[in-house]
Amino acid sequence: MAAIGNLSLAITAPSPPFRLAVPSRRTLNLRCWLFSRKHENVGDPPSSRIESEARDKNVVDESVFSSEKELDVNSSDVWKLFNDAQRNILYLNNQRLKAVDELDAIRREKHLLIKKLEQLEAEKKADVVKDPGTLWELFLRIDTMVLSGMINSEEATHLRKVIVNYQISIHDAFYEIQHKKDIELLSELHHFSEKITRKGMHIVHICCEMEPIASVGSLATYVTGLSCALQRKGYLVEVILPKYTIADNGALQEFRKTEFEFDSYFGGCWHKNRVWTGVLYGIGVTLVEPLNNATFFNRNNIYGYPDDFERFTYFSRASMDYLVKTGKQPDVLHIHNWETAIIGPLFWDIFVHQCLEQPEKLALCGLNPSQLHRPDRMQDNDKPDLINVLKGGIVYSNKVVLMPSFLSKDKIFHSLSHGLEPTLAIHKEKMLIAPYGYDNAVWDPSLDKFLPAKYSADNIEGKATCKDELRHHLGFQRPSSAVVGCIYSGSSDFDLLSLKLAIMHCLRRSCQCVLLGPKLPALDAILQAFQDESMDEDVKFIADYDESLLHLVLAGTDIMLCCTFHDPVLQIPLKAVKYGSAPILMDSGIDELRKSEWHEVGYGSRDDRPSGLHELASASFSQYILSTYANMTLSQALDEILNEPSKWSRRIREGMSRDFSWDAECCDIHCAAYTSIKNL
């Protein structure tokens, strides 16, 4: 805290100085003498009186003249004195007011300084939790110490617990010495002792994708979004990935190759692996690089090869061996999809019991097929001669999180189980349904750096500015009843006839439409042909995936056409709700006449319409969006915009006020699952 010193004020004397005019002694004596002479001559004879008066008259005239002259001089001096005094008073008053203003300014500055210090202190504490990059650098340095043989796995486990339990204090103590050599850093860690300030669980994700390092589909977004949300809640999160040659490692901070190797078991023998480490968004990232099987991840794509099972089984086993070698004891191992589902049986059948001393009994990655090829373990339900890896992940996991949140457990079991319905039914109590989310640091109209005006549910006026800017950008000339958008990805599953009929319906209602998506030659040609056919200036197709325009389209549209509400890749329905654009299913905007035309050309009604599914869905976002928009057609939405604007405004504001980001329901469901696992 800074202290403010004493305040000294210097008041300058006015110029010229005060002047006071005082009558002279001679003038006072003369006035007294005249007064006495007037009374003495009352009794004299006339002649002498006249003579005396005549004599005195000269004296009086002279004295009166002199007195009047003196009085004139004195009057001038008094007025000058009055004016000088008045100026002095005004000057002193101005000086006093300036001094008071300066004192108030100093007090305000002091108050602001105190507030700023308090804010910086709060931000410092918050940043330690929200951005634990420094902690992860220390954490990964410990891994290097283990691999180099400087410390054993037991000592490493103890040091990691120190980091987890003393996060804030560790950050303060080692912020300036994190670049010291390992031996010096180890000495500091051994002598560290601080009051515990925050506890959290250590979560390790073992997966094949993470945005932006290696991103193919929704898994990459999910892993990154959930991990960041968990870190913001105080968890220590680590992600283990294969080291792909096509990976984008430029986003990793402190990205480095360790000089030490570890062995993993595969195909009946042990293989060398190298570890690369880095930090992404405050998350510790470990990349496993096979040395003996270098071609496993040195390819042009992540998936789609005949030996995918061997590749990802190798990675799964190597990840577990790495955890054992480094002595890590995370609270939760979070595995994803079939690629790493083999970790379930690996963990329970090998690593929990540490049976690595019997490699002759292990198959490709160290498991015993005869023990696992059973109906209650990994035997496939439909093809009993095969092993179902995903089934093994379900059987051997403590919790199973299902992400298609628009369906209930029963609906998933009956329609999306891929032959695992009996297995899911047996392990039904393990199942949790979670929604996808979005990054609220990027997708928030009140903070969005790409928008010409920011807005929120409480102050939505800025959306009109965004709408005007979008119309200007697209070159729309005339006013419109509404602006309708459609944002699609390369994996979007919609038929062009449904899109065409929806756009035609919008044009008949005096709407303007914009479609935005990546360059897809086949789709672009069809869309361009439709635009040429319609010859309508109120339809714009933009075959470019510009990020700033993507934000502007969300903010500047009234309605967002969606082929489905379950959009794990772009998450357009989620973002549309946040930006005040109503998500409407694409095939719901076709009037009865067009529906007949639709059936006549051979298209039946879409069987994935979620009408009534809101009674089954469990996630709050699913319940909200299905109950609010699932049964609303495009025509109904336009009617409400035109005829019931107050009702429409309430609908939009209500959706914008909700939090459907990764930090909300999705993170809460996972945290509850992790806690229940830890408490087992």
Side-chain angles (χ1 to χ4, degrees):
M1 297 294 290
I4 306 297
N6 294 328
L7 175 67
S8 60
L9 300 178
I11 302 179
T12 305
S15 178
F18 295 122
R19 292 197 301 130
L20 182 60
V22 180
S24 65
R25 181 184 300 272
R26 179 169 176 259
T27 304
L28 291 175
N29 291 336
L30 176 61
R31 289 174 181 173
C32 293
W33 179 80
L34 287 173
F35 181 79
S36 62
R37 287 290 295 168
K38 181 178 181 181
H39 292 281
E40 288 176 359
N41 293 334
V42 172
D44 292 344
S47 59
S48 61
R49 233 186 358 257
I50 293 172
E51 195 174 344
S52 177
E53 287 175 1
R55 189 172 53 251
D56 291 342
K57 184 175 184 297
N58 293 329
V59 178
V60 171
D61 289 343
E62 183 180 355
S63 298
V64 170
F65 174 79
S66 178
S67 178
E68 289 178 351
K69 183 178 180 180
E70 187 69 26
L71 287 174
D72 290 341
V73 174
N74 293 341
S75 176
S76 175
D77 289 343
V78 169
W79 280 110
K80 182 170 178 51
L81 173 64
F82 177 78
N83 290 333
D84 288 345
Q86 192 176 38
R87 285 197 300 270
N88 289 331
I89 292 171
L90 291 174
Y91 178 82
L92 290 173
N93 191 50
N94 289 334
Q95 291 295 99
R96 182 184 65 82
L97 291 176
K98 288 182 180 179
V100 171
D101 290 341
E102 290 178 1
L103 184 59
D104 288 341
I106 291 173
R107 287 172 177 168
R108 288 194 299 269
E109 185 178 354
K110 177 182 178 181
H111 178 73
L112 292 175
L113 179 60
I114 293 173
K115 283 291 187 183
K116 184 63 176 177
L117 290 173
E118 292 174 351
Q119 180 183 353
L120 291 174
E121 186 68 19
E123 289 177 354
K124 178 183 177 183
K125 292 181 179 179
D127 288 342
V128 172
V129 177
K130 292 181 180 179
D131 185 18
T134 302
L135 301 179
W136 263 112
E137 291 178 27
L138 291 170
F139 208 69
L140 297 173
R141 290 277 292 277
I142 293 175
D143 297 351
T144 303
M145 295 176 192
V146 178
L147 295 176
S148 66
M150 184 180 296
I151 57 177
N152 57 35
S153 60
E154 290 78 13
E155 188 175 2
T157 299
H158 168 72
L159 293 177
R160 291 190 190 95
K161 288 181 178 179
V162 170
I163 293 178
V164 173
N165 293 335
Y166 297 84
Q167 291 187 38
I168 293 178
S169 299
I170 281 280
H171 186 281
D172 291 340
F174 296 106
Y175 180 77
E176 295 182 355
I177 63 171
Q178 57 184 315
H179 299 297
K180 286 191 174 183
K181 295 180 179 179
D182 286 348
I183 189 65
E184 297 171 326
L185 184 60
L186 182 61
S187 176
E188 295 287 348
L189 285 171
H190 281 153
H191 291 89
F192 180 80
S193 176
E194 290 285 347
K195 182 179 179 180
I196 187 169
T197 56
R198 186 180 183 93
K199 290 185 177 180
M201 284 193 287
H202 180 194
I203 311 297
V204 174
H205 292 271
I206 303 179
C207 51
C208 299
E209 293 184 47
M210 182 183 188
E211 191 179 46
I213 301 172
S215 181
V216 175
S218 59
L219 175 62
T221 304
Y222 164 64
V223 170
T224 302
L226 176 61
S227 298
C228 290
L230 291 170
Q231 292 253 132
R232 286 189 285 268
K233 287 186 178 290
Y235 288 73
L236 193 66
V237 184
E238 179 179 5
V239 177
I240 303 178
L241 297 164
K243 185 176 186 304
Y244 305 103
T245 55
I246 61 171
D248 180 10
N249 298 317
L252 286 168
Q253 298 176 339
E254 300 296 327
F255 182 57
R256 63 168 67 93
K257 175 181 68 175
T258 63
E259 299 299 326
F260 310 100
E261 302 169 355
F262 75 94
D263 295 329
S264 66
Y265 188 85
F266 184 79
C269 58
W270 294 89
H271 301 265
K272 295 290 183 182
N273 301 274
R274 180 181 290 119
V275 172
W276 298 68
T277 62
V279 179
L280 178 68
Y281 308 136
I283 302 163
V285 179
T286 299
L287 307 178
V288 177
E289 178 188 14
L291 297 181
N292 301 110
N293 296 277
T295 60
F296 272 176
F297 304 110
N298 185 15
R299 303 183 184 183
N300 295 328
N301 299 296
I302 293 178
Y303 308 114
Y305 298 97
D307 61 344
D308 276 355
F309 175 80
E310 288 81 2
R311 296 169 63 225
F312 294 114
T313 299
Y314 179 95
F315 164 69
S316 298
R317 175 59 196 257
S319 298
M320 296 300 293
D321 285 319
Y322 168 74
L323 292 176
V324 172
K325 174 65 176 178
T326 55
K328 294 185 178 182
Q329 295 182 358
D331 297 287
V332 177
L333 286 178
H334 192 148
I335 57 180
H336 300 266
N337 294 352
W338 73 263
E339 291 87 358
T340 56
I342 196 69
I343 289 176
L346 274 172
F347 178 78
W348 291 111
D349 281 15
I350 295 180
F351 289 94
V352 166
H353 305 293
Q354 291 294 300
C355 296
L356 297 180
E357 71 278 2
Q358 301 174 4
E360 66 275 6
K361 297 181 181 179
L362 307 177
L364 186 62
C365 63
L367 293 171
N368 189 335
S370 63
Q371 293 181 356
L372 298 175
H373 196 200
R374 292 165 36 178
D376 61 335
R377 297 189 179 180
M378 295 184 67
Q379 186 179 39
D380 188 76
N381 297 327
D382 296 330
K383 300 178 179 179
D385 58 323
L386 299 178
I387 293 292
N388 190 315
V389 180
L390 188 57
K391 178 180 177 179
I394 295 171
V395 171
Y396 285 89
S397 295
N398 297 103
K399 291 289 181 182
V400 178
V401 179
L402 306 170
M403 296 305 292
S405 58
F406 285 94
L407 302 177
S408 67
K409 291 182 182 180
D410 292 336
K411 186 71 174 179
I412 293 172
F413 294 169
H414 288 89
S415 62
L416 300 176
S417 60
H418 303 289
L420 293 176
E421 181 178 345
T423 304
L424 293 172
I426 293 172
H427 298 275
K428 186 175 182 178
E429 298 306 316
K430 293 182 180 179
M431 306 297 167
L432 298 171
I433 298 178
Y436 284 91
Y438 58 84
D439 187 349
N440 55 7
V442 176
W443 301 102
D444 185 344
S446 66
L447 305 171
D448 199 322
K449 64 181 180 179
F450 294 108
L451 301 185
K454 298 177 175 58
Y455 61 95
S456 65
D458 297 327
N459 184 7
I460 203 171
E461 285 77 11
K463 185 170 176 65
T465 303
C466 295
K467 186 175 180 179
D468 291 340
E469 177 63 24
L470 176 62
R471 295 180 68 256
H472 175 74
H473 180 84
L474 298 175
F476 291 146
Q477 300 298 322
R478 66 171 185 82
S480 64
S481 58
V483 178
V484 179
C486 179
I487 301 173
Y488 57 90
S489 68
S491 60
S492 294
D493 181 22
F494 62 86
D495 61 83
L496 291 176
L497 179 60
S498 176
L499 175 62
K500 179 177 180 179
L501 294 177
I503 293 176
M504 291 175 64
H505 182 78
C506 290
L507 295 178
R508 289 198 304 272
R509 298 291 299 269
S510 299
C511 299
Q512 292 166 333
C513 301
V514 53
L515 285 81
L516 176 66
K519 292 183 178 180
L520 302 174
L523 181 61
D524 291 345
I526 296 174
L527 292 177
Q528 187 61 46
F530 169 64
Q531 187 173 28
D532 295 340
E533 175 188 338
S534 66
M535 298 295 290
D536 199 311
E537 295 181 354
D538 289 332
V539 181
K540 300 294 182 182
F541 297 107
I542 303 175
D544 187 15
Y545 215 61
D546 180 78
E547 183 178 4
S548 61
L549 186 56
L550 177 61
H551 286 245
L552 185 59
V553 169
L554 284 168
T557 52
D558 301 289
I559 294 173
M560 186 61 60
L561 293 176
C562 304
C563 58
T564 177
F565 286 150
H566 178 63
D567 180 11
V569 179
L570 291 180
Q571 302 149 347
I572 294 302
L574 280 164
K575 297 169 184 175
V577 170
K578 186 63 179 178
Y579 279 71
S581 182
I584 301 295
L585 288 176
M586 191 178 298
D587 63 358
S588 68
I590 306 170
D591 58 23
E592 293 301 320
L593 178 62
R594 291 298 178 181
K595 284 181 180 178
S596 299
E597 177 183 343
W598 198 13
H599 289 291
E600 288 173 4
V601 295
Y603 289 87
S605 61
R606 296 282 295 272
D607 57 5
D608 62 347
R609 284 290 305 278
S611 177
L613 289 183
H614 58 274
E615 298 176 357
L616 302 175
S618 59
S620 64
F621 170 73
S622 306
Q623 293 173 353
Y624 164 76
I625 200 169
L626 292 176
S627 63
T628 306
Y629 293 111
N631 296 314
M632 174 175 277
T633 66
L634 179 59
S635 180
Q636 290 171 338
L638 293 173
D639 286 341
E640 190 170 297
I641 291 175
L642 294 175
N643 303 323
E644 300 180 89
S646 297
K647 182 178 179 180
W648 181 261
S649 178
R650 288 194 301 271
R651 182 191 300 273
I652 293 300
R653 289 171 186 264
E654 201 276 333
M656 291 180 63
S657 64
R658 293 175 175 244
D659 184 5
F660 297 126
S661 65
W662 292 113
D663 296 72
E665 185 180 16
C666 180
C667 186
D668 292 341
I669 290 173
H670 284 82
C671 289
Y674 297 154
T675 301
S676 66
I677 291 173
K678 187 175 181 179
N679 293 334
L680 289 176

